[in-house]
Amino acid sequence: MSRFGKILDIDLSTGKIEQENMSERKIRQNLGGFGYNVETLYRRIEPGIEPFDPDNMLVISRGLLTGSVAPSSSRIHINALSPLSGLIGSSNVGGVIGFRMYSLGVHSIIITGRAARPVYLYLRPDGVEVNDARHLWGLDNRDTEEHLKKDVGAENVDMLTIGPAGEKRVLFACIMAGWDHAAGRTGLGALMGAKNLKAIVLQAEPKKEKMNSERADVIRQYVAQMKNSGSRYRDFSTYGSSGDILETNQMGMLGTRNYQEYQIDNVEQIDGRQLNQFVKKKSKCHRCPNHCKAEIELKGAQYKGFKGGRPEYETIIDLGALCGLTDPEALLYLSNLCNILGMDTISTGSVIAFGMELFQRGILAPEDTGGIKLSWGDAQAMEAVIRQIAQRQGLGDVLARGVKRAAEIIGRGAEKYAYHVKGVELYGGDPRGMMGIALAYAVSMRGGDFTSVYPVPEFRYTAEQAEQEFGTRAVVDFTATSGKGAMVKKCMIVSSIIDSLGLCKVPALSVIGDFSLEMEARLIQTITGLDISPQALVWIGERIVHMEKIFNIRQGGSPADDNLPEMFLKSPIEKGPIQGRKVDLAPMVQAFYQSMGWDENGRPTQSILQKFDLSE
């Protein structure tokens, strides 16, 4: 077996399973993880394939360092043609599932076809089984996990599962890895449902790696970088990302009541400092010193005894402020209900907020909602709609398609209030607050999203750092457009590398905040023996971004996709700390294209294709 693991190619239509070894050549070309997935889709998905066609493939890969002794090396990446956007679908998840893949010697699982009946995959050291899952169909994620653990009757088992939302092909259905690790955003759970694939179970004894003095030294340095970051390490270790809510509200950037407002009263109730009272136990992903996850238990009469996971920053905004909800227990319950049913929390909050604004404006009436009064902050109404969405019933059947398609169905001016990029709902931070974030939303390959670009230098770098790296201090000026194209290019490239290595971006980019890739290059060398310089990593990362762009163009993407909803471009923020601000997007998009070596329509030039061996 290759030291980089094996690739399993599984056709659910025929039951045929092929296997090959991951080669060093492929690793040097794309590192694995996200990079391998993008290249696989780039090479194998033909133009004209629809997301729910059996020929669409789900590619699940661990990063080059996933499961190793590298700190925070928990991540796997999942890619496909997205049911939500029709473009590249991408999701990243931690926990221990990547460690199971590593222990099994599996680098990638490529799934094509469609099973004739519901099935689950069972990966063990002695092979792969395709097993009947008809008895699991209709179960939520928690019940599915419980039943499967009894079915296989083995220890050292973890799994990826879908709930009713995936089975019903809710276009923003997610894939769960345990109770509180979601591969969300682009509807890949719906693709599993379309393939009649209920779960992927991995059973493997933990694989131990030898530690030598060189490895130990590099690991100590990486962990020291985290812990020496001061308040960032302390805050993420204490509150996760949920501790940033209060700050975003103070800045006047907290999307509230579907972006009608920019701050919300009683915001402290849903900030991580307040949510800490419900934490029963800290938790973490494989080999992560950051410990940003937490298990919660609710205390109040309505939800007393309910257990789940603490939500992240984006979830709190979209299910909280965006819907006008500041009841902390209701928010915790609803975010976990989405996980149980298998729906992306960001898109779920966005479609509910969209529905609430339409109800407020009279575009939706009680007869359209089945009698549900979609009032701001009404947790009972939100729960009812969440359950409707998961079962594709009533208004939920419309909202299950995402705000773009829902607005087209509803009509009557609903499109004006549907906030998305490339069909993927925004994450809730108002893009008028920071121009770099606005650009990142617009040009993100997977749609309106922060984490696939991660433009933190805009609010983390000093003016001196910005000038040294990007040639202008304007990069750290939230109101300026200058330098943002080059900054977003760098962040997108580094983000693709971190995802291809299987490292977590929270410690690497949020806590440490080092975009040089020098420490990552050292980790690669000491753990794998491959000598890949930071400059070579940048080349690989840029090549991945070009492949994503070409893939999107082949699937019908156009320059019009690299845009923001009209409101953010034309309507200034009306009050608060950043009153008067709107987004001057076009020059930033053109600067980004130029920085990437693309033409004015965002198409890679012939010289770029030749430089990155993509001329075909």
Side-chain angles (χ1 to χ4, degrees):
M1 182 190 298
S2 164
R3 64 193 178 103
F4 302 112
K6 57 192 174 187
I7 301 164
L8 301 176
D9 209 323
I10 302 170
D11 186 337
L12 293 176
S13 295
T14 64
K16 185 177 180 181
I17 301 172
E18 296 182 339
Q19 178 179 315
E20 66 173 306
N21 288 331
M22 175 62 78
S23 67
E24 182 174 326
R25 182 187 65 81
K26 288 179 181 177
I27 290 293
R28 288 188 176 277
Q29 196 170 47
N30 55 53
L31 299 177
F34 176 63
Y36 175 77
N37 290 1
V38 170
E39 181 140 6
T40 300
L41 295 179
Y42 174 83
R43 302 288 180 195
R44 292 179 57 174
I45 293 288
E46 297 293 332
I49 288 178
E50 295 295 327
F52 289 139
D53 288 349
D55 287 339
N56 191 10
M57 58 182 59
L58 192 72
V59 190
I60 304 168
S61 297
R62 60 180 173 88
L64 176 59
L65 299 178
T66 300
S68 73
V69 294
S72 307
S73 56
S74 68
R75 314 302 289 191
I76 65 168
H77 221 91
I78 309 177
N79 288 83
L81 181 62
S82 165
L84 185 59
S85 71
L87 303 172
I88 196 157
S90 178
S91 198
N92 182 294
V93 70
V96 294
I97 198 76
F99 182 57
R100 295 285 178 225
M101 290 180 69
Y102 174 78
S103 297
L104 282 168
V106 172
H107 182 278
S108 298
I109 307 166
I110 302 172
I111 302 167
T112 57
R114 176 184 295 142
R117 64 182 189 280
V119 298
Y120 71 91
L121 298 176
Y122 186 20
L123 280 65
R124 302 184 301 185
D126 58 353
V128 181
E129 297 176 3
V130 182
N131 292 335
D132 195 310
R134 283 175 287 185
H135 63 298
L136 303 171
W137 209 250
L139 297 182
D140 66 39
N141 281 298
R142 290 188 181 182
D143 286 343
T144 298
E145 183 176 341
E146 183 180 346
H147 277 72
L148 278 170
K149 285 182 176 178
K150 290 179 181 177
D151 285 354
V152 302
E155 296 181 351
N156 299 307
V157 167
D158 287 282
M159 61 195 71
L160 299 169
T161 64
I162 61 168
E167 296 172 5
K168 300 285 186 179
R169 303 189 192 183
V170 172
L171 294 189
F172 45 87
C174 63
I175 301 169
M176 295 301 298
W179 279 23
D180 190 32
H181 296 276
R185 296 274 52 211
T186 53
L188 303 186
L191 180 56
M192 275 184 66
K195 292 185 176 298
N196 273 332
L197 179 60
K198 181 64 174 176
I200 303 170
V201 181
L202 297 97
Q203 188 265 318
E205 296 290 333
K207 179 181 176 182
K208 295 183 179 180
E209 239 185 315
K210 293 180 180 178
M211 181 71 74
N212 58 36
S213 59
E214 186 180 11
R215 286 182 178 180
D217 183 56
V218 173
I219 289 167
R220 275 195 298 268
Q221 289 182 47
Y222 195 78
V223 173
Q225 281 188 309
M226 288 185 214
K227 295 186 175 181
N228 292 338
S229 69
S231 62
R232 293 196 299 273
Y233 175 78
R234 181 198 65 216
D235 290 349
F236 271 97
S237 296
T238 306
Y239 309 117
S241 61
S242 67
D244 291 333
I245 299 299
L246 194 59
E247 180 183 16
T248 305
N249 191 70
Q250 290 168 345
M251 295 174 68
M253 287 179 54
L254 192 69
T256 298
R257 297 181 180 88
N258 207 34
Y259 301 99
Q260 294 181 77
E261 300 167 35
Y262 330 101
Q263 294 175 305
I264 192 168
D265 292 337
N266 302 316
V267 68
E268 66 279 357
Q269 295 298 313
I270 55 173
D271 181 77
R273 295 158 185 81
Q274 175 74 5
L275 298 183
N276 221 30
Q277 67 175 303
F278 304 104
V279 171
K280 298 295 290 183
K281 180 183 177 183
K282 298 294 296 295
S283 59
K284 63 169 186 162
C285 299
H286 171 72
R287 283 195 175 275
C288 186
N290 210 59
H291 296 208
C292 71
K293 305 291 283 185
E295 298 173 12
I296 58 98
E297 182 174 346
L298 302 185
K299 306 173 182 178
Q302 186 170 1
Y303 308 110
K304 189 174 180 61
F306 178 83
K307 297 179 181 179
R310 179 179 59 199
E312 303 294 339
Y313 167 79
E314 297 90 344
T315 297
I316 294 171
I317 296 178
D318 282 67
L319 280 172
L322 204 66
C323 295
L325 178 67
T326 56
D327 178 337
E329 293 212 17
L331 175 60
L332 291 170
Y333 172 75
L334 294 174
S335 69
N336 281 280
L337 179 62
C338 289
N339 290 341
I340 291 168
L341 298 174
M343 304 193 304
D344 179 73
T345 53
I346 299 171
S347 286
T348 301
S350 294
V351 299
I352 293 174
F354 165 72
M356 286 176 164
E357 181 163 8
L358 298 189
F359 194 82
Q360 171 195 329
R361 295 181 181 277
I363 297 173
L364 288 179
E367 53 264 31
D368 300 309
T369 65
I372 299 172
K373 293 182 178 180
L374 285 174
S375 303
W376 297 113
D378 187 332
Q380 289 185 327
M382 292 175 67
E383 179 177 354
V385 173
I386 287 170
R387 294 187 182 278
Q388 279 193 352
I389 292 170
Q391 296 296 334
R392 302 292 295 260
Q393 296 172 346
L395 178 64
D397 184 44
V398 177
L399 297 181
R401 305 160 199 252
V403 296
K404 180 178 183 290
R405 291 177 178 84
E408 293 167 354
I409 293 168
I410 294 167
R412 304 191 295 276
E415 294 89 346
K416 183 178 179 181
Y417 310 107
Y419 303 119
H420 67 89
V421 174
K422 302 178 177 72
V424 178
E425 291 75 20
L426 301 183
Y427 91 88
D430 196 308
R432 290 170 290 189
M434 294 185 184
M435 296 305 103
I437 287 179
L439 177 61
Y441 281 178
V443 299
S444 168
M445 301 298 174
R446 73 173 187 174
D449 180 65
F450 177 94
T451 56
S452 60
V453 181
Y454 236 87
V456 298
E458 182 176 32
F459 52 87
R460 182 66 51 74
Y461 274 25
T462 65
E464 292 75 19
Q465 282 178 296
E467 185 170 31
Q468 181 178 3
E469 187 160 346
F470 303 110
T472 174
R473 296 186 172 212
V475 164
V476 296
D477 179 350
F478 299 164
T479 66
T481 59
S482 178
K484 300 301 167 72
M487 186 266 292
V488 166
K489 173 191 175 180
K490 174 67 176 287
C491 294
M492 193 177 283
I493 289 169
V494 171
S495 179
S496 72
I497 291 299
I498 300 298
D499 284 339
S500 300
L501 295 177
L503 300 176
C504 180
K505 291 175 187 167
V506 169
L509 302 182
S510 287
V511 177
I512 297 173
D514 181 1
F515 283 71
S516 71
L517 296 175
E518 291 179 3
M519 185 56 72
E520 285 75 18
R522 290 191 63 196
L523 284 170
I524 294 169
Q525 200 283 322
T526 56
I527 291 172
T528 71
L530 298 176
D531 187 10
I532 304 177
S533 69
Q535 294 75 23
L537 290 176
V538 169
W539 187 91
I540 294 168
E542 186 171 346
R543 183 173 181 273
I544 293 167
V545 173
H546 293 310
M547 284 192 291
E548 284 187 277
K549 186 65 174 181
I550 297 167
F551 180 90
N552 279 354
I553 291 170
R554 285 198 319 225
Q555 298 304 322
S558 74
D561 295 328
D562 293 336
N563 208 345
L564 289 173
E566 186 176 80
M567 181 188 74
F568 301 118
L569 307 178
K570 295 185 176 180
S571 300
I573 285 181
E574 296 176 351
K575 60 182 179 180
I578 54 175
Q579 183 178 356
R581 201 176 297 177
K582 58 183 179 179
V583 180
D584 186 12
L585 184 64
M588 292 194 294
V589 170
Q590 285 302 314
F592 171 73
Y593 288 172
Q594 186 175 14
S595 183
M596 289 298 306
W598 301 343
D599 66 20
E600 66 275 9
N601 292 313
R603 300 175 70 90
T605 61
Q606 192 61 40
S607 62
I608 285 292
L609 298 180
Q610 291 173 349
K611 178 181 177 181
F612 290 93
D613 300 327
L614 300 171
S615 296
E616 75 282 3

